[in-house]
Amino acid sequence: MIRVRVPATSANMGSGFDSLGIALTLYNYVSIEKISGPTEIKIMGEGEDFLPGDESNLIYKCVRKVFEKCGKEPGGIRLVMENNIPVTRGLGSSSASIVGGFFAANALLGEPFSKEELLSMAVEIEGHGDNATPAIFGGFCVNVPTKNKINYISSPIKDNLKFATFIPDFFLQTKKSRAALPEKVLHKDAVFNVGRSALLTASIISGKYENIRVAMGDKLHQDYRKRFIPGMSEIFDLCYNNKALGVYLSGAGPTIIGIIDGNDNSFSMKVEAVLNKKMKNWQLTVLSADNEGAVVLGGF
Ligand code: HSE
Protein backbone atom coordinates (compact mmCIF):
# COMPACT_ATOMS: atom_id res chain seq x y z
CA MET A 1 0.00 0.00 0.00
CA ILE A 2 1.14 3.54 -0.82
CA ARG A 3 0.24 6.42 1.50
CA VAL A 4 0.54 10.06 0.42
CA ARG A 5 0.30 13.18 2.57
CA VAL A 6 -0.83 16.45 0.95
CA PRO A 7 -0.96 19.86 2.69
CA ALA A 8 -3.79 22.39 2.72
CA THR A 9 -2.97 25.49 0.69
CA SER A 10 -4.00 29.11 0.75
CA ALA A 11 -4.08 30.96 -2.57
CA ASN A 12 -3.91 34.62 -3.66
CA MET A 13 -2.64 36.00 -0.33
CA GLY A 14 -4.38 39.31 -1.07
CA SER A 15 -2.68 40.90 -4.04
CA GLY A 16 -1.41 37.78 -5.84
CA PHE A 17 -4.64 36.65 -7.50
CA ASP A 18 -4.16 33.22 -9.16
CA SER A 19 -0.37 33.62 -8.77
CA LEU A 20 0.68 33.29 -5.12
CA GLY A 21 -0.01 30.56 -2.59
CA ILE A 22 1.32 28.88 0.50
CA ALA A 23 1.21 25.36 1.93
CA LEU A 24 0.00 24.94 5.52
CA THR A 25 0.43 22.30 8.23
CA LEU A 26 -3.01 20.75 7.84
CA TYR A 27 -3.06 17.49 5.87
CA ASN A 28 -5.12 15.03 3.89
CA TYR A 29 -3.88 11.47 3.43
CA VAL A 30 -4.53 9.21 0.45
CA SER A 31 -3.77 5.48 0.58
CA ILE A 32 -3.90 3.28 -2.47
CA GLU A 33 -3.39 -0.39 -3.26
CA LYS A 34 -4.29 -2.73 -6.09
CA ILE A 35 -6.92 -5.35 -5.25
CA SER A 36 -8.32 -8.27 -7.20
CA GLY A 37 -12.01 -7.36 -6.71
CA PRO A 38 -13.86 -4.21 -7.80
CA THR A 39 -12.65 -0.74 -6.77
CA GLU A 40 -13.37 0.29 -3.16
CA ILE A 41 -13.36 3.92 -2.02
CA LYS A 42 -13.51 4.90 1.64
CA ILE A 43 -13.69 8.51 2.84
CA MET A 44 -13.04 9.46 6.45
CA GLY A 45 -13.22 12.90 8.06
CA GLU A 46 -14.05 16.11 6.17
CA GLY A 47 -16.61 15.54 3.41
CA GLU A 48 -17.30 11.91 4.34
CA ASP A 49 -21.06 12.65 4.30
CA PHE A 50 -21.22 14.15 0.83
CA LEU A 51 -18.11 13.42 -1.26
CA PRO A 52 -18.83 10.68 -3.82
CA GLY A 53 -17.59 7.23 -2.89
CA ASP A 54 -17.83 5.88 -6.45
CA GLU A 55 -15.83 6.30 -9.65
CA SER A 56 -16.97 9.93 -9.97
CA ASN A 57 -14.73 10.70 -6.97
CA LEU A 58 -12.12 13.35 -7.93
CA ILE A 59 -9.21 11.41 -6.43
CA TYR A 60 -10.25 8.26 -8.26
CA LYS A 61 -10.54 10.21 -11.54
CA CYS A 62 -7.02 11.56 -11.02
CA VAL A 63 -5.67 8.06 -10.30
CA ARG A 64 -7.32 6.89 -13.53
CA LYS A 65 -5.79 9.77 -15.48
CA VAL A 66 -2.25 8.83 -14.44
CA PHE A 67 -2.82 5.19 -15.40
CA GLU A 68 -4.35 6.16 -18.75
CA LYS A 69 -1.45 8.51 -19.55
CA CYS A 70 0.78 5.44 -19.12
CA GLY A 71 -1.50 3.44 -21.42
CA LYS A 72 -2.77 1.27 -18.52
CA GLU A 73 -6.07 0.43 -16.85
CA PRO A 74 -6.12 0.84 -13.06
CA GLY A 75 -8.23 -2.31 -12.56
CA GLY A 76 -9.49 -2.84 -9.02
CA ILE A 77 -7.98 -0.51 -6.45
CA ARG A 78 -8.65 0.31 -2.82
CA LEU A 79 -8.54 4.05 -2.11
CA VAL A 80 -8.72 5.36 1.44
CA MET A 81 -8.95 9.10 2.13
CA GLU A 82 -8.35 10.59 5.55
CA ASN A 83 -9.47 14.20 5.19
CA ASN A 84 -8.59 16.98 7.61
CA ILE A 85 -8.86 19.89 5.14
CA PRO A 86 -12.36 21.41 5.22
CA VAL A 87 -14.10 21.16 1.83
CA THR A 88 -15.17 24.25 -0.19
CA ARG A 89 -13.67 26.66 2.33
CA GLY A 90 -10.74 28.20 0.42
CA LEU A 91 -8.05 25.88 1.80
CA GLY A 92 -7.25 23.93 -1.34
CA SER A 93 -9.16 20.72 -0.66
CA SER A 94 -9.71 20.16 -4.42
CA SER A 95 -6.02 20.63 -5.15
CA ALA A 96 -5.17 18.28 -2.30
CA SER A 97 -7.45 15.67 -3.88
CA ILE A 98 -5.98 16.12 -7.35
CA VAL A 99 -2.39 16.10 -6.11
CA GLY A 100 -3.13 13.21 -3.72
CA GLY A 101 -4.59 11.10 -6.55
CA PHE A 102 -1.73 11.93 -8.93
CA PHE A 103 1.03 11.27 -6.38
CA ALA A 104 -0.56 8.01 -5.18
CA ALA A 105 -0.99 6.60 -8.69
CA ASN A 106 2.42 7.86 -9.77
CA ALA A 107 4.07 6.12 -6.80
CA LEU A 108 2.13 2.90 -7.50
CA LEU A 109 3.42 2.93 -11.09
CA GLY A 110 7.06 3.54 -10.14
CA GLU A 111 7.04 7.34 -10.62
CA PRO A 112 6.80 7.70 -14.40
CA PHE A 113 6.04 11.44 -14.05
CA SER A 114 8.12 14.23 -12.52
CA LYS A 115 6.58 16.66 -10.01
CA GLU A 116 6.63 19.34 -12.73
CA GLU A 117 4.63 17.09 -15.05
CA LEU A 118 2.12 16.36 -12.28
CA LEU A 119 1.85 20.11 -11.64
CA SER A 120 1.03 20.77 -15.31
CA MET A 121 -1.62 18.05 -15.18
CA ALA A 122 -3.13 19.59 -12.01
CA VAL A 123 -3.21 23.08 -13.53
CA GLU A 124 -4.91 21.67 -16.61
CA ILE A 125 -7.77 20.54 -14.34
CA GLU A 126 -7.93 23.58 -12.05
CA GLY A 127 -7.20 26.33 -14.55
CA HIS A 128 -4.76 28.06 -12.19
CA GLY A 129 -1.80 26.87 -10.17
CA ASP A 130 -1.92 28.90 -6.97
CA ASN A 131 -3.07 25.92 -4.88
CA ALA A 132 -1.50 23.05 -6.82
CA THR A 133 2.03 24.56 -6.79
CA PRO A 134 2.33 24.79 -2.98
CA ALA A 135 0.42 21.49 -2.57
CA ILE A 136 3.20 19.81 -4.57
CA PHE A 137 6.30 21.78 -3.58
CA GLY A 138 5.41 23.31 -0.19
CA GLY A 139 6.42 26.73 1.13
CA PHE A 140 5.48 30.07 -0.39
CA CYS A 141 4.99 29.72 -4.14
CA VAL A 142 4.70 31.96 -7.16
CA ASN A 143 3.35 30.35 -10.33
CA VAL A 144 2.81 31.58 -13.87
CA PRO A 145 1.50 29.06 -16.40
CA THR A 146 2.64 29.44 -20.02
CA LYS A 147 1.77 27.25 -23.00
CA ASN A 148 3.59 24.03 -22.18
CA LYS A 149 4.97 24.76 -18.76
CA ILE A 150 4.22 26.07 -15.27
CA ASN A 151 6.91 28.57 -14.35
CA TYR A 152 7.23 28.57 -10.59
CA ILE A 153 9.33 29.35 -7.53
CA SER A 154 8.84 27.66 -4.17
CA SER A 155 10.52 29.26 -1.19
CA PRO A 156 10.53 27.84 2.38
CA ILE A 157 8.99 29.92 5.17
CA LYS A 158 10.58 30.19 8.59
CA ASP A 159 8.56 29.39 11.68
CA ASN A 160 8.65 33.06 12.67
CA LEU A 161 5.42 33.46 10.71
CA LYS A 162 2.17 31.76 11.75
CA PHE A 163 -1.11 31.60 9.89
CA ALA A 164 -4.19 32.30 12.00
CA THR A 165 -6.83 30.49 9.97
CA PHE A 166 -10.45 31.59 10.49
CA ILE A 167 -12.82 28.97 9.09
CA PRO A 168 -16.55 29.75 9.07
CA ASP A 169 -19.32 27.16 9.25
CA PHE A 170 -20.57 27.95 5.72
CA PHE A 171 -19.30 26.94 2.28
CA LEU A 172 -18.46 29.08 -0.75
CA GLN A 173 -18.08 27.36 -4.12
CA THR A 174 -15.04 28.62 -6.05
CA LYS A 175 -17.20 28.78 -9.18
CA LYS A 176 -19.70 31.13 -7.52
CA SER A 177 -16.92 33.22 -5.98
CA ARG A 178 -15.13 33.58 -9.36
CA ALA A 179 -18.38 34.43 -11.13
CA ALA A 180 -18.64 37.54 -8.91
CA LEU A 181 -15.45 39.00 -10.42
CA PRO A 182 -15.64 41.58 -13.20
CA GLU A 183 -14.48 40.71 -16.70
CA LYS A 184 -12.50 43.97 -16.95
CA VAL A 185 -10.65 45.98 -14.32
CA LEU A 186 -9.37 49.54 -14.27
CA HIS A 187 -5.73 50.02 -15.24
CA LYS A 188 -5.09 51.75 -11.90
CA ASP A 189 -6.50 48.73 -10.02
CA ALA A 190 -4.23 46.39 -11.96
CA VAL A 191 -1.25 48.64 -11.16
CA PHE A 192 -2.32 48.65 -7.49
CA ASN A 193 -2.05 44.84 -7.37
CA VAL A 194 1.07 44.46 -9.54
CA GLY A 195 3.20 46.53 -7.16
CA ARG A 196 1.75 44.93 -4.07
CA SER A 197 2.13 41.31 -5.19
CA ALA A 198 5.76 42.04 -6.11
CA LEU A 199 6.27 43.69 -2.70
CA LEU A 200 4.60 40.75 -0.94
CA THR A 201 6.84 38.23 -2.70
CA ALA A 202 9.98 40.21 -1.92
CA SER A 203 8.87 40.82 1.68
CA ILE A 204 8.15 37.19 2.43
CA ILE A 205 11.33 35.90 0.78
CA SER A 206 13.57 38.57 2.33
CA GLY A 207 11.92 38.41 5.77
CA LYS A 208 10.99 42.12 5.74
CA TYR A 209 7.62 41.36 7.26
CA GLU A 210 6.78 44.99 8.12
CA ASN A 211 5.69 45.41 4.48
CA ILE A 212 3.14 42.61 4.53
CA ARG A 213 0.11 44.70 5.51
CA VAL A 214 0.51 47.11 2.60
CA ALA A 215 1.58 44.32 0.26
CA MET A 216 -1.63 42.34 0.89
CA GLY A 217 -3.78 45.21 -0.41
CA ASP A 218 -6.01 44.10 -3.26
CA LYS A 219 -8.44 45.63 -5.75
CA LEU A 220 -8.98 42.61 -8.00
CA HIS A 221 -11.09 40.14 -6.03
CA GLN A 222 -11.59 40.50 -2.27
CA ASP A 223 -14.12 43.35 -2.28
CA TYR A 224 -16.23 41.63 -4.95
CA ARG A 225 -16.42 38.50 -2.81
CA LYS A 226 -17.21 40.20 0.47
CA ARG A 227 -20.97 39.93 -0.02
CA PHE A 228 -20.75 36.15 0.18
CA ILE A 229 -18.87 36.26 3.47
CA PRO A 230 -20.82 37.76 6.37
CA GLY A 231 -18.31 38.73 9.08
CA MET A 232 -15.36 39.29 6.68
CA SER A 233 -14.78 42.96 7.65
CA GLU A 234 -15.11 42.10 11.34
CA ILE A 235 -12.47 39.34 11.08
CA PHE A 236 -10.11 41.70 9.21
CA ASP A 237 -10.56 44.35 11.94
CA LEU A 238 -10.19 41.76 14.70
CA CYS A 239 -6.86 40.62 13.24
CA TYR A 240 -5.46 44.10 12.71
CA ASN A 241 -6.62 45.23 16.17
CA ASN A 242 -4.56 42.35 17.56
CA LYS A 243 -1.35 43.14 15.70
CA ALA A 244 -1.64 40.81 12.69
CA LEU A 245 1.08 41.50 10.12
CA GLY A 246 -1.44 41.09 7.29
CA VAL A 247 -4.92 39.68 6.62
CA TYR A 248 -6.42 38.23 3.45
CA LEU A 249 -9.21 36.12 2.04
CA SER A 250 -7.82 32.62 1.54
CA GLY A 251 -8.30 31.58 -2.09
CA ALA A 252 -11.87 32.14 -3.22
CA GLY A 253 -12.94 32.22 0.45
CA PRO A 254 -14.72 32.00 2.79
CA THR A 255 -11.73 31.22 5.08
CA ILE A 256 -9.73 34.28 6.15
CA ILE A 257 -6.07 34.16 7.20
CA GLY A 258 -4.26 36.55 9.50
CA ILE A 259 -0.47 36.33 9.27
CA ILE A 260 0.99 36.75 12.73
CA ASP A 261 4.43 36.92 14.29
CA GLY A 262 5.45 33.40 15.31
CA ASN A 263 6.38 34.66 18.78
CA ASP A 264 3.04 36.36 19.38
CA ASN A 265 1.49 34.14 22.06
CA SER A 266 -1.41 36.43 22.97
CA PHE A 267 -3.12 36.71 19.55
CA SER A 268 -5.11 33.46 19.76
CA MET A 269 -6.31 34.02 23.31
CA LYS A 270 -7.52 37.55 22.64
CA VAL A 271 -9.12 36.73 19.31
CA GLU A 272 -10.81 33.56 20.55
CA ALA A 273 -12.41 35.49 23.40
CA VAL A 274 -14.08 37.77 20.82
CA LEU A 275 -15.12 34.89 18.55
CA ASN A 276 -16.69 33.05 21.50
CA LYS A 277 -18.62 36.14 22.47
CA LYS A 278 -19.76 37.49 19.10
CA MET A 279 -18.86 35.23 16.17
CA LYS A 280 -19.34 31.65 17.26
CA ASN A 281 -19.63 30.37 13.68
CA TRP A 282 -15.91 31.10 13.03
CA GLN A 283 -13.31 28.65 14.22
CA LEU A 284 -9.66 29.68 14.69
CA THR A 285 -6.75 27.30 14.03
CA VAL A 286 -3.19 28.59 14.08
CA LEU A 287 -1.04 26.82 11.47
CA SER A 288 2.56 27.04 10.28
CA ALA A 289 3.84 26.92 6.73
CA ASP A 290 4.49 23.43 5.38
CA ASN A 291 7.80 23.45 3.52
CA GLU A 292 7.71 19.91 2.13
CA GLY A 293 4.60 19.77 -0.03
CA ALA A 294 3.11 16.42 -1.02
CA VAL A 295 5.10 13.41 0.14
CA VAL A 296 4.84 9.70 -0.44
CA LEU A 297 5.10 8.34 3.09
CA GLY A 298 6.16 4.96 1.87
CA GLY A 299 4.85 1.74 0.47
CA PHE A 300 3.97 -0.87 3.07
N1 HSE B 1 -7.12 32.00 -7.26
C1 HSE B 1 -8.34 31.26 -7.10
C2 HSE B 1 -9.49 32.24 -6.89
C3 HSE B 1 -8.21 30.35 -5.92
O1 HSE B 1 -9.30 33.19 -6.15
O2 HSE B 1 -10.56 32.06 -7.45
C4 HSE B 1 -9.36 29.43 -5.74
O3 HSE B 1 -9.17 28.25 -6.40
Side-chain angles (χ1 to χ4, degrees):
M1 180 185 277
I2 304 275
R3 192 159 184 255
V4 174
R5 187 185 80 178
V6 193
T9 49
S10 173
N12 300 332
M13 305 185 77
S15 49
F17 183 75
D18 277 1
S19 309
L20 303 183
I22 191 154
L24 298 170
T25 51
L26 176 67
Y27 301 98
N28 280 0
Y29 296 84
V30 178
S31 303
I32 190 172
E33 65 184 324
K34 281 187 92 55
I35 54 175
S36 51
T39 290
E40 293 171 15
I41 298 176
K42 185 172 177 193
I43 305 167
M44 295 184 284
E46 296 288 341
E48 64 182 10
D49 301 336
F50 57 87
L51 290 173
D54 58 19
E55 294 190 2
S56 69
N57 181 284
L58 180 57
I59 299 187
Y60 177 77
K61 288 204 268 189
C62 290
V63 167
R64 230 195 136 77
K65 199 177 175 88
V66 173
F67 271 82
E68 281 168 359
K69 271 189 173 274
C70 293
K72 294 184 175 163
E73 260 294 312
I77 54 167
R78 180 178 292 123
L79 259 184
V80 180
M81 296 147 208
E82 299 156 68
N83 294 347
N84 297 301
I85 306 172
V87 180
T88 330
R89 297 303 219 304
L91 287 169
S93 66
S94 305
S95 273
S97 296
I98 294 166
V99 170
F102 283 168
F103 266 61
N106 199 45
L108 204 59
L109 290 169
E111 308 205 329
F113 298 108
S114 67
K115 287 185 178 183
E116 280 74 13
E117 286 169 320
L118 296 178
L119 174 61
S120 292
M121 285 158 61
V123 174
E124 208 176 286
I125 296 175
E126 292 221 293
H128 40 90
D130 45 351
N131 288 109
T133 312
I136 291 178
F137 297 101
F140 167 75
C141 295
V142 184
N143 88 92
V144 175
T146 47
K147 200 167 171 220
N148 295 315
K149 184 176 171 212
I150 312 302
N151 306 274
Y152 74 94
I153 301 277
S154 151
S155 178
I157 297 292
K158 296 191 200 89
D159 221 24
N160 56 1
L161 283 186
K162 296 267 194 234
F163 298 81
T165 307
F166 295 79
I167 308 172
D169 62 359
F170 54 87
F171 304 106
L172 177 55
Q173 297 282 352
T174 298
K175 201 172 164 198
K176 178 175 169 186
S177 189
R178 284 182 90 82
L181 305 181
E183 215 163 284
K184 292 182 179 172
V185 296
L186 291 174
H187 188 270
K188 68 178 168 61
D189 288 349
V191 170
F192 184 97
N193 273 58
V194 167
R196 281 166 177 76
S197 67
L199 182 64
L200 182 60
T201 303
S203 301
I204 289 185
I205 290 178
S206 68
K208 293 207 179 296
Y209 299 146
E210 65 274 19
N211 292 319
I212 288 180
R213 181 170 183 164
V214 168
M216 287 199 152
D218 159 65
K219 298 240 187 221
L220 298 184
H221 69 106
Q222 294 186 156
D223 281 347
Y224 299 104
R225 292 169 155 170
K226 224 181 214 167
R227 66 189 163 100
F228 299 128
I229 307 164
M232 180 165 155
S233 303
E234 289 82 350
I235 298 284
F236 270 58
D237 290 346
L238 185 59
C239 286
Y240 280 130
N241 291 340
N242 286 286
K243 301 199 181 116
L245 299 169
V247 190
Y248 67 96
L249 184 65
S250 182
T255 291
I256 293 167
I257 292 191
I259 300 193
I260 57 175
D261 185 323
N263 298 314
D264 182 346
N265 297 318
S266 62
F267 181 92
S268 300
M269 220 174 58
K270 288 185 194 156
V271 162
E272 251 161 9
V274 177
L275 295 182
N276 287 336
K277 214 166 150 192
K278 298 188 198 159
M279 301 180 81
K280 284 197 168 55
N281 65 323
W282 290 81
Q283 188 204 317
L284 171 65
T285 308
V286 179
L287 302 169
S288 298
D290 163 279
N291 289 320
E292 283 184 278
V295 282
V296 177
L297 296 172
F300 48 88

